Amino acid sequence: MSGSQNTSMTIGSLAKAAEINVETIRYYQRLGLMTEPEKPLGGIRRYDEDALARLRFIRRARWLGFSLEEIGELLKLEDGTHCDEAKALGERKLGNVRDKIRSLQQIEGVLDQLVEECCTQKDNVTCPLIASLHEGFEAVTP
Amino acid sequence: MSGSQNTSMTIGSLAKAAEINVETIRYYQRLGLMTEPEKPLGGIRRYDEDALARLRFIRRARWLGFSLEEIGELLKLEDGTHCDEAKALGERKLGNVRDKIRSLQQIEGVLDQLVEECCTQKDNVTCPLIASLHEGFEAVTP
DNA sequence: CTTATCTCCGTAGTCGACTACGGAGTCAAG
DNA sequence: CTTGACTCCGTAGTCGACTACGGAGATAAG
């Protein structure tokens, strides 16, 4: 919705915009995560905002520990897969994502407490990180 | 705090308990993520619950997309690093974790909506995944 | 028209994180 | 005291995810 003029980039400017190596984009194309746009008669391919959004999504998802294969599945959800199939997949992925959130929140809690208490306590040499981990850490999936 | 009898395992049973390959444990030891316990005079090393908790933590953190190097830093927080140093590190890591949580929550929201709406809408062929991504996805770090 | 800077595409190399191998030593059960 | 399963330890191989290379063609600026 917001104003964008530069629909249509070369792979180079796309790479710069997404902060991803050109070679990596080409690698993703080979894997089928990105589609190669048509090449105009021995010319140079052009990319649009969708390609950019997709790349950013991939980058973010990688950062969150999803494999390229899993990311492929996530992306299939927005490409016209058959609906019920997509729904099932989406639900699985959603569970996955929620597990990760829960795990991260546990780590967050522990870290937060750690930072709080860190310099307050003097006698307890071992910080309470692992101790806390013992308790709350059997619940979630990995 | 809870009752545990089997303090003292061999590397094999430790591996089984943590659901991690023996070789992987040895690899972590080489990297310094796990310490090798003393070997009793040409005998066999023994591991305790702490080692197990540590391994589980590593596994979980890996699953959440942290590199072994980052995990090393997280673990340093509970080994007696100097406090202010640890605190700074902890705060950085905390920010990191919170970014991940936020990212995952965005994905969660999008996936959730997707699953909801998936079979309801008929005319809109492209599911709203990427569309939503466009909007909310500039905020967080990766 | 030239020159610099891309793009294209295939192939090869790197890096992090494992995973396997193999031979010598250890231990527990029978 | 043997046998089978396991440990120890060094080295080597694999796999996923990039990253680099190099030569031929395209395009834009001067």
Side-chain angles (χ1 to χ4, degrees), chain A residues 130 134, chain B residues 32-35 49-59 72 75-76 78-79:
Chain A
I130 284 292
H134 279 265
Chain B
L33 292 180
M34 303 286 294
T35 55
E49 294 290 327
D50 280 6
L52 179 55
R54 207 170 165 97
L55 273 179
R56 287 190 170 139
F57 176 75
I58 295 174
R59 203 160 76 94
L75 286 171
K76 252 193 289 183
E78 71 97 26
D79 307 334

Side-chain angles (χ1 to χ4, degrees), chain A residues 60 63 98 103 108 137, chain B residues 60 98 100 103 108 137:
Chain A
R60 175 177 303 266
W63 177 66
R98 287 184 172 143
S103 265
E108 183 194 18
F137 260 73
Chain B
R60 175 176 303 266
R98 285 182 173 145
K100 289 203 178 206
S103 263
E108 182 194 21
F137 260 72

Side-chain angles (χ1 to χ4, degrees), chain A residues 43-114:
Chain A
I44 280 178
R45 295 175 215 281
R46 299 253 141 202
Y47 298 83
D48 58 9
E49 295 290 327
D50 279 6
L52 179 54
R54 206 170 166 97
L55 274 179
R56 286 188 171 142
F57 176 75
I58 294 174
R59 201 160 77 95
R60 175 177 303 266
R62 284 281 307 128
W63 177 66
L64 291 167
F66 293 97
S67 69
L68 291 182
E69 197 180 334
E70 290 172 311
I71 292 170
E73 300 201 324
L74 282 169
L75 285 171
K76 252 193 289 182
L77 291 175
E78 71 97 26
D79 308 333
T81 324
H82 288 315
C83 248
D84 36 352
E85 194 183 332
K87 185 169 182 175
L89 183 56
E91 270 160 358
R92 274 197 292 114
K93 291 293 167 198
L94 192 53
N96 203 273
V97 166
R98 287 184 172 143
D99 286 345
K100 291 203 178 205
I101 290 175
R102 239 170 292 142
S103 265
L104 278 168
Q105 280 170 341
Q106 286 182 334
I107 291 178
E108 183 194 18
V110 172
L111 273 178
D112 188 46
Q113 201 186 346
L114 180 65

Side-chain angles (χ1 to χ4, degrees), chain A residues 82-85 87, chain B residues 114-122:
Chain A
H82 288 315
C83 248
D84 36 352
E85 194 183 332
K87 185 169 182 175
Chain B
L114 181 64
V115 168
E116 289 279 294
E117 293 176 4
C118 196
C119 297
T120 317
Q121 50 176 8
K122 278 270 140 50

Side-chain angles (χ1 to χ4, degrees), chain B residues 4-142:
Chain B
S4 58
Q5 67 295 59
N6 62 339
T7 284
S8 178
M9 306 165 259
T10 65
I11 198 171
S13 39
L14 176 65
K16 199 162 292 174
E19 294 174 273
I20 285 183
N21 198 316
V22 170
E23 310 295 333
T24 306
I25 297 175
R26 292 182 42 65
Y27 173 62
Y28 290 164
Q29 290 173 339
R30 260 172 272 148
L31 294 188
L33 292 180
M34 303 286 294
T35 55
E36 269 189 300
E38 289 298 308
K39 191 168 74 163
L41 297 147
I44 281 177
R45 295 176 213 283
R46 298 254 143 201
Y47 299 82
D48 58 11
E49 294 290 327
D50 280 6
L52 179 55
R54 207 170 165 97
L55 273 179
R56 287 190 170 139
F57 176 75
I58 295 174
R59 203 160 76 94
R60 175 176 303 266
R62 283 282 306 130
W63 178 66
L64 291 167
F66 293 98
S67 68
L68 291 182
E69 196 178 336
E70 291 173 311
I71 293 170
E73 300 201 323
L74 283 169
L75 286 171
K76 252 193 289 183
L77 292 176
E78 71 97 26
D79 307 334
T81 324
H82 288 316
C83 248
D84 37 350
E85 194 183 333
K87 185 168 181 174
L89 182 56
E91 268 160 358
R92 273 198 292 116
K93 290 293 168 195
L94 192 53
N96 203 275
V97 165
R98 285 182 173 145
D99 286 344
K100 289 203 178 206
I101 290 174
R102 240 170 291 141
S103 263
L104 278 168
Q105 280 170 342
Q106 286 182 332
I107 292 178
E108 182 194 21
V110 172
L111 272 178
D112 188 45
Q113 202 186 345
L114 181 64
V115 168
E116 289 279 294
E117 293 176 4
C118 196
C119 297
T120 317
Q121 50 176 8
K122 278 270 140 50
D123 44 349
N124 186 358
V125 181
T126 313
C127 283
L129 182 73
I130 284 292
S132 318
L133 291 179
H134 278 265
E135 287 142 36
F137 260 72
E138 311 308 317
V140 202
T141 0

